[in-house]
């Protein structure tokens, strides 16, 4: 059921209008040209016992893989994309990285990426690699801004 819920959220964001200003929507951060949502998050893991970290990382990878498999059935095989360079470039004050990509790259190192057929939008799905004391999160970005 979790994968179905995540797919329904992504589907909704693929047709939802983008807001005119940066802010928060009912599902997450949004602004001109993007919706960024946390589909799944641990609750209290970051402030609790850190044992089981590897198992939780595996669980979140499985969440991502489940969503990616279903999106791949629709739009073809995902393009794996590293966001490490995007993050480094976003730290360089001389280069402008669009807000959704800069924000996502601060939390997620790798995404599965698709150009959603017929929508003019890109969909990226990835799992955060949190520092100790932070929560694991499964992110989805829907944007009309091509990846940098």
């Amino acid at each position: 059921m979790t994968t179905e819920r995540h797919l329904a959220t992504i589907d909704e964001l693929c047709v939802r209008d983008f807001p005119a200003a940066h802010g928060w929507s009912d599902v997450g951060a949004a602004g001109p040209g993007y919706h960024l949502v946390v589909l799944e998050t641990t609750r209290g893991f970051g402030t609790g016992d850190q044992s089981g970290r590897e198992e939780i990382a595996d669980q979140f990878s499985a969440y991502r893989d489940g969503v990616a498999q279903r999106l791949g059935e629709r739009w073809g095989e995902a393009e794996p994309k590293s966001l490490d360079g995007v993050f480094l470039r976003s730290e360089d004050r001389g280069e402008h990285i669009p807000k959704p990509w800069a924000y996502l790259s601060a939390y997620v190192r790798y995404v599965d990426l698709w150009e959603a057929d017929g929508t003019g939008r890109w969909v990226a799905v990835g799992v955060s690699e949190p520092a100790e004391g932070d929560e694991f999160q499964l992110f989805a970005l829907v944007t009309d801004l091509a990846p940098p």
Side-chain angles (χ1 to χ4, degrees):
M1 186 62 172
T2 300
T3 299
E4 294 302 321
R5 183 172 40 104
H6 298 333
L7 290 169
T9 299
I10 291 168
D11 288 344
E12 178 187 339
L13 297 178
C14 281
V15 298
R16 184 185 279 196
D17 290 336
F18 296 120
H22 298 287
W24 295 96
S25 72
D26 59 323
V27 293
Y34 75 94
H35 297 287
L36 180 63
V37 61
V38 175
L39 297 171
E40 194 78 40
T41 190
T42 53
R43 303 272 189 243
F45 177 76
T47 58
D49 179 7
Q50 295 286 301
S51 66
R53 184 176 183 79
E54 189 172 316
E55 291 81 11
I56 291 173
D58 290 345
Q59 178 183 13
F60 272 73
S61 291
Y63 291 153
R64 181 202 57 230
D65 292 347
V67 172
Q69 178 182 351
R70 297 288 298 281
L71 293 176
E73 291 169 2
R74 294 179 187 177
W75 300 322
E77 190 172 331
E79 175 188 335
K81 178 154 179 72
S82 169
L83 296 181
D84 287 344
V86 173
F87 176 72
L88 292 174
R89 290 167 44 208
S90 71
E91 296 292 302
D92 178 5
R93 298 188 193 280
E95 183 172 1
H96 172 73
I97 300 295
K99 186 171 184 155
W101 292 105
Y103 182 76
L104 185 61
S105 73
Y107 295 95
V108 176
R109 294 189 64 200
Y110 299 96
V111 293
D112 289 326
L113 180 67
W114 297 266
E115 192 168 3
D117 291 343
T119 68
R121 296 183 181 195
W122 294 87
V123 175
V125 177
V127 175
S128 65
E129 295 187 17
E132 190 169 322
D134 291 334
E135 304 292 336
F136 281 88
Q137 296 179 308
L138 173 64
F139 284 90
L141 171 64
V142 176
T143 181
D144 63 1
L145 304 168

